Amino acid sequence: MKGKLVITISDRGIGVPKEDLPYLFEPFHRGSNAEDIEGTGLGLSIVKHAVELHRGKISVDSVIGEGTIFKIDLPLIPE
């Protein structure tokens, strides 16, 4: 059995500036517009690592002032 599980997570938050997108999954990277928001910049790096350990992929699409959408594709394991 081949296929994949697709998980989509979206919000209506502040969005991620385009110049930050290439670095979004790097440890300790914080969006340039997230100065007043608590965090360490480790969360998305950990998520990406976990997804890749399961041979999956994660992608992001974001618009400033409208929000962000993360898409995770995970392969299904045959039974």
Side-chain angles (χ1 to χ4, degrees):
M1 174 181 178
K2 290 191 176 192
K4 65 181 175 178
L5 170 68
V6 179
I7 302 168
T8 304
I9 303 157
S10 64
D11 69 31
R12 294 184 183 181
I14 61 174
V16 179
K18 287 187 182 207
E19 59 270 12
D20 288 321
L21 289 174
Y23 311 102
L24 197 61
F25 297 104
E26 291 186 12
F28 302 107
H29 180 78
R30 302 274 326 259
S32 57
N33 63 339
E35 297 146 348
D36 296 333
I37 300 171
E38 284 188 51
T40 61
L42 287 174
L44 289 174
S45 174
I46 293 168
V47 168
K48 182 177 186 219
H49 185 69
V51 167
E52 289 175 346
L53 283 173
H54 288 90
R55 297 187 179 142
K57 295 181 182 179
I58 184 169
S59 60
V60 60
D61 185 30
S62 190
V63 177
I64 295 293
E66 292 185 22
T68 304
I69 300 171
F70 289 94
K71 180 180 169 191
I72 298 171
D73 293 319
L74 296 171
L76 294 178
I77 299 172
E79 292 186 27

